């Protein structure tokens, strides 16, 4: 087996029954129930205009060499319903990894979406496409197709660890990764937190939102409050 140049055709799918419930939750609410640490870098943002604002699926992970999309092409042929392709690109920003043709092919495959830790191109066409694609910018420079690379192995995308079969949840705010082994517990916590969050939103509209925690926190942190102007 050649580490760094291999493809696993299978990945865990035990979190799949939870996808429909996660699709009803904003990424921010779920992130708050994960100690606010599961979000990919803000550099990776939505480049298309999907009618469905929430993308949710199981991770098909891709580890690509800088500026190379050979393994991404293979992943497109492997992924389907309830799948999200999520790709590590060694932080490279010099070459786009896909454009409108590949995105159109991906859309007709029925997958949930694509997350790239690298740029795309054909941004004018992609910006009108009804299919979720998240990427780190755009450039006209095209990719190589030489490899090596890997599919369905652990990767780091947007500074977040992703294992094959993890849940990838994205909306207009960005993308988070939910470890599959913790998904059921996180779902339960997020569903409860959503009720609290929606209640606080209603209180905020009337000015009745509880704010006593703020001064208490400042006292705990020993912040000095000075009733004077700075001199």
């Amino acid at each position: 087996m050649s580490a760094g140049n291999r493809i696993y055709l299978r990945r865990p799918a035990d979190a799949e029954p939870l996808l429909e419930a996660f699709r009803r939750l904003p990424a921010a609410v779920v992130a708050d129930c994960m100690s606010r640490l599961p979000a990919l870098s803000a550099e990776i943002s939505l480049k298309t205009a999907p009618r469905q604002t929430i993308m949710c699926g199981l991770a098909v992970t891709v580890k690509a060499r800088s500026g190379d999309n050979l393994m991404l092409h293979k992943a497109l042929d492997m992924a389907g319903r309830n799948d999200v392709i999520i790709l590590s690109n060694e932080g490279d920003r010099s070459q786009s990894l896909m454009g409108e043709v590949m995105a159109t092919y991906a859309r007709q495959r029925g997958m949930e979406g694509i997350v790239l830790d690298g740029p795309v191109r054909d941004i004018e066409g992609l910006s009108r496409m009804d299919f979720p694609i998240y990427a780190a910018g755009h450039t006209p420079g095209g990719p190589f197709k030489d490899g090596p690379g890997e599919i369905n192995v652990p990767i780091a995308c947007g500074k977040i660890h992703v294992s094959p079969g993890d849940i990838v949840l994205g909306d207009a705010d960005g993308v988070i990764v939910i470890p599959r082994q913790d998904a059921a517990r996180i779902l339960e916590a997020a569903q409860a937190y959503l009720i609290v969050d929606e209640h606080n939103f209603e209180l905020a509209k009337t000015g009745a939102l509880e704010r006593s925690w703020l001064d208490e926190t400042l006292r705990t942190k020993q912040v000095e409050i000075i009733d004077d102007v700075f001199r």
Side-chain angles (χ1 to χ4, degrees):
M1 184 178 295
S2 179
N5 196 27
R6 59 189 174 181
I7 296 171
Y8 287 91
L9 296 178
R10 300 182 185 181
R11 51 87 212 268
D14 48 306
E16 189 168 20
L18 305 177
L19 293 179
E20 198 56 45
F22 272 110
R23 288 189 181 107
R24 302 188 185 101
L25 297 171
V29 166
V30 181
D32 281 357
C33 296
M34 298 176 66
S35 299
R36 308 187 178 196
L37 293 175
L40 271 59
S41 167
E43 187 181 11
I44 299 175
S45 60
L46 186 61
K47 302 303 179 187
T48 53
R51 285 193 295 269
Q52 182 177 336
T53 56
I54 291 183
M55 172 194 74
C56 185
L58 302 183
V60 175
T61 59
V62 179
K63 183 182 289 186
R65 182 174 65 87
S66 297
D68 192 283
N69 74 355
L70 179 65
M71 291 299 172
L72 176 56
H73 273 283
K74 179 58 178 177
L76 292 181
D77 285 350
M78 293 170 56
R81 181 178 174 272
N82 287 334
D83 290 336
V84 172
I85 292 175
I86 181 164
L87 179 146
S88 167
N89 187 41
E90 298 183 330
D92 184 72
R93 301 291 182 260
S94 61
Q95 313 292 131
S96 65
L97 293 168
M98 66 183 298
E100 193 172 9
V101 172
M102 289 177 67
T104 300
Y105 178 71
R107 183 181 183 278
Q108 65 83 33
R109 293 278 300 166
M111 65 189 72
E112 282 286 319
I114 297 175
V115 181
L116 305 173
D117 199 351
V120 291
R121 66 178 179 181
D122 304 330
I123 192 64
E124 184 176 355
L126 291 183
S127 66
R128 298 191 297 267
M129 183 170 288
D130 177 25
F131 178 68
I133 296 178
Y134 294 80
H138 50 88
T139 175
F144 304 104
K145 296 176 175 61
D146 300 318
E150 297 182 286
I151 297 176
N152 282 330
V153 299
I155 65 169
C157 182
K159 301 179 181 180
I160 296 296
H161 176 88
V162 192
S163 290
D166 285 351
I167 294 177
V168 182
L169 178 64
D171 57 22
D173 280 341
V175 179
I176 68 171
V177 175
I178 304 155
R180 63 180 183 83
Q181 63 269 25
D182 299 323
R185 177 182 57 80
I186 292 168
L187 174 61
E188 183 178 0
Q191 288 172 328
Y193 184 70
L194 179 63
I195 296 172
V196 175
D197 193 57
E198 290 176 339
H199 177 65
N200 285 339
F201 180 67
E202 293 303 317
L203 292 176
K205 290 193 291 187
T206 64
L209 186 64
E210 170 60 42
R211 302 285 290 169
S212 62
W213 64 269
L214 177 56
D215 286 338
E216 179 60 31
T217 300
L218 293 174
R219 282 192 295 271
T220 300
K221 299 294 183 181
Q222 298 182 334
V223 177
E224 185 180 7
I225 307 296
I226 303 166
D227 186 15
D228 199 352
V229 297
F230 179 80
R231 300 181 192 279

